[in-house]
Amino acid sequence: MAATNVHFSFKNAQGRPKTGTLHVAPVRRHISGSTVVVLGGFDVALGSDGTATVQLEPTDNTFAWLVREFPDDTDSAFERVVQVPASSSTVEYTSLVDVDKDALTPALNTGAALTYLLASSLQEAQAMSAANPGQMVFYPEGQAKTVASQILEDLTGARAVVEAQSAVAAQAANAAQAASVQAADAVQAVSEQTAQVSANAAAVQSVADSISESKTVVESHASEALTAIDEAVKQVRDKASDVSGEDRTDTMPTDSTDSASSQEV
């Protein structure tokens, strides 16, 4: 995590720059995951203008920074335990939030005057608020009204979009339901047609079987008839043969005497 630049600025009661030394040290060990990060204390020498800028590791709920102001100056010595936010811009030392040394939670107001920050725009107020957690930040009312109106307009537009999307989704759901019903009807119709085709095929097979049986019966009867006809023809031929033999016996002469008598007459 990148360090945050903290700007220190001191003046004496007469308004002149206050020079001297500050001592900065961590309160507790800094825990990062499973690692103990050892941050050592160091001194900060203020310049002739009473200012200095120092890079400090942003704090979390495991540690905070202890700042001893002018520890060698009995009259000016003071001590603070503060949080340092993660910020890419420089943060003022006076805007840092004081925390309880033992609990590391924001310290209760023990009589100090309420402090706040003023911003000229919403964007600046957002940046200042991010850089100074726990501090009140004020910006012009007109800006707030404009932003509130814009937020309300955005919410109204978002609601309209959601309602439109909901209507489209409802139409899609209705169309899907109608398609499902049509598909079910089509499946039922196909099933009924399949059953009818099966019934027709069974009827045709039954007729074919009946015709086959009739053919067999007819062929059997025809065979019997042909056999009977052949038998009748044979009987007729046999009778005809017998009759022809009798006729030939009647016309032939019996002896020579009969022949002679016939000639004399």
Side-chain angles (χ1 to χ4, degrees), residues 104-255:
L104 300 184
T105 56
L108 297 176
N109 191 327
T110 57
L114 175 66
T115 60
Y116 57 88
L117 302 174
L118 291 176
S120 60
S121 66
L122 173 61
Q123 291 75 16
E124 183 181 358
Q126 290 173 335
M128 293 175 69
S129 179
N132 302 277
Q135 284 285 90
M136 298 182 65
V137 180
F138 295 92
Y139 56 95
E141 181 182 3
Q143 293 268 339
K145 290 182 177 179
T146 301
V147 172
S149 299
Q150 184 62 48
I151 292 174
L152 180 59
E153 182 179 350
D154 293 343
L155 290 175
T156 302
R159 178 179 179 181
V161 171
V162 170
E163 290 178 349
Q165 291 177 345
S166 298
V168 172
Q171 292 177 355
N174 292 335
Q177 184 176 5
S180 177
V181 172
Q182 292 177 354
D185 292 342
V187 170
Q188 181 64 27
V190 170
S191 178
E192 292 176 355
Q193 291 177 357
T194 301
Q196 185 62 43
V197 169
S198 298
N200 292 342
V204 170
Q205 184 63 41
S206 178
V207 172
D209 292 342
S210 178
I211 292 173
S212 178
E213 292 176 358
S214 298
K215 178 182 177 183
T216 301
V217 172
V218 169
E219 289 176 348
S220 177
H221 290 171
S223 178
E224 293 176 355
L226 290 174
T227 301
I229 292 171
D230 290 341
E231 185 65 27
V233 170
K234 181 179 179 182
Q235 291 177 359
V236 170
R237 285 178 177 174
D238 290 344
K239 289 181 179 181
S241 176
D242 292 343
V243 171
S244 296
E246 291 176 355
D247 289 343
R248 282 195 302 269
T249 303
D250 291 339
T251 58
M252 290 180 62
T254 58
D255 55 28

Side-chain angles (χ1 to χ4, degrees), residues 58-79:
T59 59
D60 53 21
N61 60 353
T62 64
F63 85 109
W65 285 105
L66 169 66
V67 180
R68 290 192 176 96
E69 302 172 2
F70 313 107
D72 298 330
D73 187 339
T74 306
D75 295 332
S76 302
F78 191 76
E79 183 177 286

